[in-house]
Amino acid sequence: AAGVIQSPRHLIKEKRETATLKCYPIPRHDTVYWYQQGPGQDPQFLISFYEKMQSDKGSIPDRFSAQQFSDYHSELNMSSLELGDSALYFCASSSRRGLAGVGQYFGPGTRLLVL
Amino acid sequence: GENVEQHPSTLSVQEGDSAVIKCTYSDSASNYFPWYKQELGKGPQLIIDIRSNVGEKKDQRIAVTLNKTAKHFSLHITETQPEDSAVYFCAASKDYGGATNKLIFGTGTLLAVQP
């Protein structure tokens, strides 16, 4: 079965640079979530989108922005990168289209290292 | 704020034994409780979930129980195998009207199954 696709899988950036992470949800899933996971930590919710509109917002820094496009893929844009932004970034997808009980399915993640 | 506590943080069992991981949530409005398995370098994998209208759910060697009054839910793995070794996360969410809302994760349990 098709899964969530994330790109790139690995990314190395310098401080103060920008990064763009991409997420392609499972086909027919219309909701996308972004999570950040630090080393040895649990995933922390950043932001979510449904039908291209922001549906919820968590502990996402103002330096980060995200959007969902008409084909339901999503991009997380990170500017003025800091050392503390080094983490695994996961995208998850789900569906609201009458599919009650559809949980969140996670992608393989993007490992971001800020030097 | 919303909080999910998870115990134990590490668990070592012999192959064939059972493993139990427990979680407690703080927000009484939470009604959806998934469990994720995360292997090293991979994204969290949804292994089982339960909603607040049922008390127990089973899928082969995995079962989850929910006590809404105590705000407590548990994962039970029977006949453990070495491939069950991973970090397990519980999570809680308020899920009304379709796709789940943001997941609040527990701190994770590192399960090691000794051959």
Side-chain angles (χ1 to χ4, degrees):
Chain A
V4 176
I5 297 171
Q6 290 188 247
S7 67
R9 294 293 313 279
H10 304 273
L11 193 56
I12 300 175
K13 291 286 185 178
E14 300 280 340
K15 281 195 308 183
R16 292 179 289 278
E17 286 191 324
T18 62
T20 297
L21 279 54
K22 298 185 178 182
C23 168
Y24 298 85
I26 292 171
R28 293 183 296 282
H29 279 194
D30 51 25
T31 306
V32 169
Y33 314 78
W34 287 96
Y35 292 84
Q36 178 191 60
Q37 186 178 32
Q41 304 293 314
D42 55 285
Q44 296 290 316
F45 173 74
L46 293 177
I47 196 166
S48 62
F49 292 87
Y50 166 63
E51 288 290 348
K52 295 158 284 182
M53 298 288 289
Q54 180 182 308
S55 54
D56 199 359
K57 191 173 181 180
S59 50
I60 183 170
D62 291 341
R63 301 177 288 107
F64 294 6
S65 65
Q67 57 182 325
Q68 185 181 33
F69 296 85
S70 57
D71 64 351
Y72 297 105
H73 94 273
S74 178
E75 294 183 3
L76 178 66
N77 299 293
M78 311 162 70
S79 63
S80 302
L81 287 169
E82 301 174 356
L83 295 178
D85 295 329
S86 296
L88 270 169
Y89 290 84
F90 289 107
C91 172
S93 75
S94 185
S95 174
R96 290 178 190 257
R97 292 204 195 102
L99 298 176
V102 175
Q104 292 185 29
Y105 292 86
F106 282 72
T110 294
R111 183 176 295 278
L112 172 66
L113 178 61
V114 181
L115 301 176
Chain B
E2 301 156 281
N3 184 52
V4 176
E5 293 186 358
Q6 182 171 347
H7 299 281
S9 57
T10 60
L11 180 59
S12 181
V13 299
Q14 290 295 125
E15 182 177 358
D17 287 351
S18 295
V20 180
I21 303 171
K22 300 181 178 182
C23 289
T24 304
Y25 60 98
S26 62
D27 190 342
S28 57
S30 295
N31 63 351
Y32 174 68
F33 308 94
W35 285 88
Y36 287 86
K37 174 184 180 183
Q38 187 173 25
E39 296 174 285
L40 195 61
K42 296 186 177 180
Q45 175 193 358
L46 178 63
I47 56 172
I48 195 167
D49 56 13
I50 190 167
R51 295 182 182 273
S52 58
N53 56 345
V54 298
E56 184 173 359
K57 184 176 179 181
K58 189 174 181 180
D59 182 5
Q60 299 182 339
R61 298 187 294 109
I62 294 174
V64 57
T65 59
L66 172 66
N67 182 329
K68 284 192 300 183
T69 303
K71 292 190 283 188
H72 175 272
F73 58 113
S74 300
L75 177 71
H76 304 252
I77 305 175
T78 59
E79 301 173 24
T80 53
Q81 301 166 4
E83 50 265 39
D84 294 330
S85 297
V87 176
Y88 290 80
F89 288 100
C90 63
S93 174
K94 288 177 279 194
D95 176 11
Y96 298 94
T100 62
N101 290 309
K102 65 182 178 184
L103 296 174
I104 306 299
F105 283 87
T107 48
T109 296
L110 175 60
L111 173 64
V113 180
Q114 309 297 331

